[in-house]
Amino acid sequence: MSKREAGAASPGKLRHLGPVVLGFSLFGLGIWALHHLLRDVDAAEIVAQIQATPHHIFAIALGATALGYTALIGYDFWALQYLEKKLPLRVVALGGFLGYAFGNTIGISVLSGGAVRYRIYSAFGLNAFEVAALASYIALAMGTGLSLVGVFALAAHPAALASLLPLSEQTVRILALSGGGLTIALLYALGISGKVLKLGKFEIAMPRPRILSGQMVVALFDSTMAATTLYVLLPPGAPDFVTFLAIYATATMVGVMSHVPGGVGVFETVVMAAMPPGTAAGEVAAALLMFRVIYYLIPFALAFVIVSLNEARLAGGWAVRLFGEISDPMRPAFNAVAGMVPWLSGAWAFGLGAYLLALSLLPSVPTLHDKDDLVGAILLEGGTLVSSVAGAVLLILSHGLIRRVAGAFWLTLAAIGGGIVAVLLNNFDYESALVLAGGAVLLWPFRREFYREAKITDGVFGPAWIALVTAVIIAVVLFFVFVHAATPYSHSLWIDFAQNATTPRSLRAGLVGSAILLIFTTYLALQPLGRRSPRTPAETLRTAREVIDAQDNPTACLALSGDKELRFAGEGAAFLMFARRRKSWIALGDPVGDMRYFDDLGWDFVEAAQQANCRPVFYEISEWQLPRMIEMGLAAHKVGEEAVINLSTFTLSGARFKSMRAAHNKAAREGLALEVHQPPHSAALIEELRPISEAWLASKAGQEKRFSVGRFDADYLRHFPIAVARRGGAALAFASVLAPGAGKKVAVDLMRYRPGDASGMIEFIFLALIEHYQREGAAEFSLGMAPLAGLSTRRTERLWHHFGALMFRHGGAFYNFEGLRAFKAKFNPQWRPRYIALPVGVSPMVAMADVAMLISGGPRGLLGRKSQ
């Protein structure tokens, strides 16, 4: 790579790393601040406070949590009203609950509320951009609602944040009332007038007053219930509820802005700092810990149980006999949720691993053995160390689960089994053993989702994973320091082996667990790139041709052009074609062949590109591939629409086609006719057509296109039918036809004519081919893609849509996008969207520039003329 390319890549890398570094830094600051606030608190005090909490307090907190999550579903309901979309209420409830339960706790982009909702709502007709708009609306609604609740609570009790704000109480009240009142007035004014709110580059259309009012009620109820969950757990001496509501809203907003999953560390720091002087820090810490478990972990576990149970019901067997079959209206939703199983399982294993690491650091109180029992001491020591090792192994295996690796799944169950044995040896902790056993049982129904035969260590653990593991190590260290703060450090701690030596045992366990994570991460970083044994070009094309002939996707035929690399899976049963351009590996179209191997192809391609320090890009994929792209952590952007004619219903009769029919009949009367030649072709035919191709190319700027279209090459053209337009025996134009398999779906590839014969020629060839393949019994005829067509110009869409729509309307200096779509629209086709998928944070304009260079053959091919 050149210095220039390296320099150009640096800003993109920094942009990609920026959020990770910022989130990691804020997490570290939050943990440090908590450590500072809890420096005088004994861990035993927190445990005692949790144990002393009355059962009815837990019941109230659980009830408030249930009501709060019910209110959260209201955000989805009103967002759909805003977008004027109607979905069954059960589907909205499922999508809303799973989205919040997973997104609130984990915070990973692939499992965020938007990704969960996309999988469920797309099964009921919403496209990717409608779900993106819905997720954006929910985020804005929640942020605005929470802010307003906090502002008005602060106006009622301005002393709530007196210790954090350098302002008088009267000033805080005036600012809060004026700011909140003006905000509400502005929102309703915009909603009534229909005007748009402009915030920098962004434009936001306000909802109607009815929707806005409903959203305000939801926000108030949601915030109140969430705050109630924590408030009832707080010790005596906490502020009154309205004051605490302001504290809670502020802490939540700061946690959200930090981008730390769940605001861990940041939220707690704000709440503890805002407590009145004299409030017992240990009791507040206990309340915050119980709040995390009740409001985050329990809903997450419940959502995981729902997904696991319904995965078992989808598979049939005992679950159907016990719980009955899933109803037909809800089956699409649960089928869609199944696509999230690898990420959920990875998060589940990661959580169990962190739990085992924490257990290994807790003091063990020997109750089954006397202090001089050597066997008992060995069992305790071994149980603690095995618990630490099993926890570290589960953290490592979580990434293999995300990638659907079969070995990772079975090793995860084995590691959980080792953890169960370890906790039973460690003071016979049967409660933890039941938790781990339950975790393994819930994973079992997902076993069919893990089928990839790949190395667990394949792929690159990116900055986010490294930061997450580092955060776990830091948390483990600080947790150890906090739990064992009462024991002064001494070098002799490392070699003190006794049943009552709880601190040395935890110290060694923490060191072993952290060392395993560190060694494994270093091992991955030092691994050389894997090399596959290359096939010869002839073997590659022969295998690809066998796959192409067994399916009916015309785009697959472009693999035979020879200008793309092919990656195979399933012993050659499926393949993916791609080309490289600078830092981009660009795959063309959907994977080809046996669908069972599409996931393998996608993951292998993404991992290989990342190993090469490049970005994976999927170009011109269909909407059926979008869930797979999201699962691999990629973002999708629409790049155009393919025009497809249904040959079973197409007819030239009727007023719509009157002029087209007249022109076609006139051309036929003047002697223009179309011949369709089946392969193999004679050398004489190819040489007869060569002057036509050269004349056509000479009239165009740039060289012959490639990558997403074929080229005039005898070896390439010999695979396909060629249609030749003749008048009086002389060839005037030709078109190559992609008709794989049984020829049920066909598409035109090359279409070339002499410049002097251009008038009406394309239209004549299309109509003649449509008639021919109707007689042959084909089902579909593709006119090809209209680039940048169908991109929304609504104010709620993304910058890429604005740019693409602008290019579509005014890009005639580069390419007649609008004219191309208008011509294809004359045939009244079905328009099927096509997308580009690329890593989050990479601009689609950068990726499309690389695609354009591949198609044109580089800058010279884009600007220069083909040499004759």
Side-chain angles (χ1 to χ4, degrees):
M1 185 173 66
S2 67
K3 290 182 179 179
R4 183 176 181 180
E5 287 176 335
S10 298
K13 288 182 179 179
L14 291 176
R15 279 197 306 272
H16 186 65
L17 289 174
V20 175
V21 173
L22 177 62
F24 181 64
S25 301
L26 290 173
F27 171 78
L29 289 173
I31 294 295
W32 177 85
L34 272 181
H35 177 67
H36 176 74
L37 290 169
L38 296 173
R39 64 186 182 277
D40 298 325
V41 176
D42 186 358
E45 179 185 343
I46 296 178
V47 174
Q49 176 65 24
I50 294 174
Q51 293 175 339
T53 302
H55 290 165
H56 74 276
I57 295 296
F58 284 118
I60 295 173
L62 287 170
T65 297
L67 292 174
Y69 272 81
T70 303
L72 286 173
I73 298 170
Y75 286 110
D76 287 63
F77 175 81
W78 289 113
L80 289 166
Q81 293 281 315
Y82 171 71
L83 295 175
E84 298 180 352
K85 299 293 179 181
K86 202 167 186 178
L87 293 181
L89 187 59
R90 287 181 296 175
V91 174
V92 178
L94 178 68
F97 175 70
L98 294 184
Y100 293 115
F102 293 143
N104 285 355
T105 305
I106 302 175
I108 301 173
S109 61
V110 179
L111 282 178
S112 66
V116 174
R117 291 182 184 91
Y118 171 73
R119 287 194 171 276
I120 296 174
Y121 295 161
S122 63
F124 291 83
L126 269 67
N127 61 41
F129 302 105
E130 289 169 337
V131 177
L134 180 140
S136 300
Y137 174 87
I138 290 173
L140 286 171
M142 291 185 71
T144 303
L146 187 63
S147 299
L148 288 174
V149 169
V151 163
F152 283 113
L154 192 60
H157 287 267
L161 301 179
S163 60
L164 303 179
L165 297 176
L167 300 172
S168 66
E169 293 186 15
Q170 189 63 24
T171 302
V172 170
R173 176 177 281 113
I174 293 173
L175 290 175
L177 284 174
S178 58
L182 287 174
T183 299
I184 291 179
L186 176 63
L187 293 177
Y188 274 98
L190 291 172
I192 294 171
S193 66
K195 292 182 179 180
V196 175
L197 176 64
K198 293 184 178 180
L199 298 173
K201 297 185 296 183
F202 300 98
E203 296 181 352
I204 305 171
M206 286 296 110
R208 297 186 301 275
R210 181 181 69 87
I211 297 175
L212 188 58
S213 299
Q215 199 68 74
M216 293 288 186
V217 172
V218 168
L220 177 61
F221 192 71
D222 158 42
S223 304
T224 303
M225 289 299 101
T228 300
T229 303
L230 177 54
Y231 185 74
V232 297
L233 298 169
L234 289 173
D240 62 84
F241 181 74
V242 176
T243 303
F244 177 74
L245 191 58
I247 296 172
Y248 176 84
T250 303
T252 302
M253 289 302 297
V254 173
V256 169
M257 290 187 291
S258 72
H259 296 289
V260 177
V264 174
V266 180
F267 174 85
E268 284 81 0
T269 301
V270 175
V271 171
M272 293 194 70
M275 287 292 104
T279 307
E283 295 181 358
V284 175
L288 287 166
L289 181 59
M290 289 185 284
F291 171 73
R292 285 289 181 184
V293 172
I294 293 172
Y295 199 79
Y296 289 88
L297 298 186
I298 289 179
F300 176 82
L302 178 60
F304 195 83
V305 169
I306 291 173
V307 175
S308 177
L309 176 60
N310 284 285
E311 186 75 8
R313 292 170 71 192
L314 287 171
W318 64 269
V320 172
R321 292 192 298 271
L322 192 59
F323 299 101
E325 291 190 356
I326 297 174
S327 64
D328 289 338
M330 293 300 293
R331 186 170 290 272
F334 284 109
N335 282 330
V337 171
M340 298 186 303
V341 162
W343 277 94
L344 289 175
S345 301
W348 190 252
F350 196 95
L352 291 178
Y355 178 68
L356 278 171
L357 282 174
L359 287 179
S360 68
L361 301 185
L362 288 173
S364 301
V365 181
T367 58
L368 301 179
H369 315 283
D370 61 63
K371 64 180 181 179
D372 296 322
D373 186 358
L374 179 61
V375 174
I378 293 174
L379 291 177
L380 279 173
E381 188 75 30
T384 303
L385 287 176
V386 172
S387 178
S388 176
V389 171
V393 169
L394 284 174
L395 296 186
I396 293 169
L397 291 174
S398 65
H399 195 272
L401 292 177
I402 291 170
R403 295 167 42 245
R404 294 183 181 269
V405 179
F409 177 78
W410 298 109
L411 286 175
T412 296
L413 294 182
I416 293 175
I420 292 173
V421 173
V423 298
L424 290 176
L425 291 176
N426 189 3
N427 192 29
F428 197 68
D429 185 1
Y430 66 89
E431 290 115 336
S432 296
L434 289 175
V435 169
L436 293 170
V441 169
L442 290 174
L443 282 174
W444 180 252
F446 301 145
R447 61 192 181 280
R448 297 177 185 83
E449 299 293 335
F450 301 93
Y451 48 77
R452 292 190 64 209
E453 300 298 329
K455 289 183 179 180
I456 297 172
T457 56
D458 278 349
V460 175
F461 288 20
W465 191 88
I466 299 294
L468 188 59
V469 171
T470 306
V472 170
I473 294 175
I474 293 174
V476 163
V477 172
L478 293 178
F479 180 66
F480 170 82
V481 171
F482 176 66
V483 171
H484 298 276
T487 303
Y489 176 79
S490 170
H491 293 301
S492 61
L493 288 174
W494 295 98
I495 57 173
D496 186 2
F497 293 90
Q499 286 198 51
N500 58 354
T502 59
T503 300
R505 186 160 46 249
S506 298
L507 189 65
R508 289 187 290 269
L511 177 65
V512 169
S514 300
I516 289 175
L517 291 173
L518 182 60
I519 292 171
F520 180 72
T521 306
T522 305
Y523 165 79
L524 286 178
L526 296 177
Q527 286 297 294
L529 294 179
R531 301 294 182 187
R532 298 189 175 198
S533 55
R535 302 167 182 249
T536 66
E539 289 175 334
T540 297
L541 292 181
R542 185 165 53 251
T543 305
R545 183 58 198 256
E546 293 173 357
V547 177
I548 292 168
D549 288 342
Q551 53 87 64
D552 59 3
N553 176 15
T555 304
C557 298
L558 294 173
L560 304 176
S561 65
D563 62 356
K564 289 175 280 294
E565 300 176 56
L566 305 181
R567 294 183 70 91
F568 290 91
E571 299 298 326
F575 71 84
L576 179 148
M577 51 183 153
F578 74 101
R580 310 174 196 229
R581 170 68 187 173
R582 297 195 303 180
K583 296 288 292 182
S584 297
W585 286 22
I586 303 172
L588 177 64
D590 295 350
V592 182
D594 193 331
M595 294 179 62
R596 292 177 298 173
Y597 301 104
F598 283 11
D599 280 336
D600 277 352
L601 284 168
W603 276 111
D604 288 345
F605 177 72
V606 169
E607 290 167 358
Q610 291 173 340
Q611 282 182 339
N613 196 28
C614 294
R615 49 180 170 258
V617 177
F618 293 82
Y619 176 63
E620 279 194 20
I621 56 173
S622 68
E623 59 185 337
W624 308 113
Q625 299 300 316
L626 295 184
R628 185 171 286 111
M629 298 299 110
I630 290 175
E631 183 180 330
M632 293 186 294
L634 305 179
H637 307 263
K638 192 174 181 182
V639 292
E641 296 177 321
E642 181 186 7
V644 179
I645 296 174
N646 185 340
L647 295 182
S648 64
T649 59
F650 181 82
T651 176
L652 279 177
S653 62
R656 178 186 180 92
F657 297 105
K658 181 178 180 180
S659 60
M660 189 183 294
R661 185 170 62 248
H664 183 68
N665 293 337
K666 179 182 178 183
R669 288 194 302 270
E670 292 175 351
L672 193 61
L674 193 77
E675 303 171 352
V676 179
H677 299 262
Q678 298 297 329
H681 307 297
S682 66
L685 177 63
I686 299 298
E687 291 307 313
E688 182 185 15
L689 301 179
R690 189 179 299 278
I692 298 175
S693 177
E694 291 176 348
W696 185 87
L697 286 171
S699 67
K700 305 295 181 182
Q703 297 181 2
E704 187 167 24
K705 301 298 184 280
R706 57 191 72 184
F707 185 62
S708 64
V709 293
R711 67 182 191 277
F712 191 89
D713 177 82
D715 289 335
Y716 173 66
L717 293 175
R718 69 182 174 84
H719 295 288
F720 316 115
I722 297 179
V724 182
R726 298 180 184 274
R727 180 181 289 124
L732 305 179
F734 72 91
S736 62
V737 181
L738 309 178
K744 291 298 182 181
K745 296 180 181 180
V746 296
V748 173
D749 184 17
L750 297 181
M751 182 180 289
R752 294 183 178 176
Y753 46 84
R754 297 182 186 275
D757 299 315
S759 179
M761 183 61 71
I762 298 177
E763 185 176 292
F764 173 81
I765 293 176
F766 272 149
L767 289 175
L769 282 173
I770 288 170
E771 290 179 344
H772 172 81
Y773 281 103
Q774 275 184 318
R775 292 193 299 269
E776 294 292 316
E780 292 181 357
F781 186 90
S782 174
L783 303 177
M785 196 175 86
L788 304 182
L791 271 64
S792 173
T793 57
R794 292 186 301 175
R795 293 183 293 266
T796 55
E797 299 295 352
R798 290 180 269 197
L799 177 62
W800 161 245
H801 276 211
H802 287 292
F803 175 79
L806 184 67
M807 284 294 295
F808 177 74
R809 293 193 303 271
H810 308 294
F814 305 98
Y815 191 84
N816 190 6
F817 300 109
E818 194 164 13
L820 177 63
R821 191 186 196 282
F823 172 78
K824 293 180 178 180
K826 291 165 57 176
F827 295 86
N828 193 30
Q830 299 173 359
W831 293 101
R832 296 178 181 173
R834 291 293 177 262
Y835 301 89
I836 187 171
L838 60 164
V840 175
V842 176
S843 169
M845 288 179 274
V846 172
M848 284 298 292
D850 287 337
V851 171
M853 290 296 105
L854 277 180
I855 294 173
S856 65
R860 290 185 179 181
L862 185 66
L863 302 175
R865 289 186 181 275
K866 180 179 174 65
S867 60
Q868 300 298 317

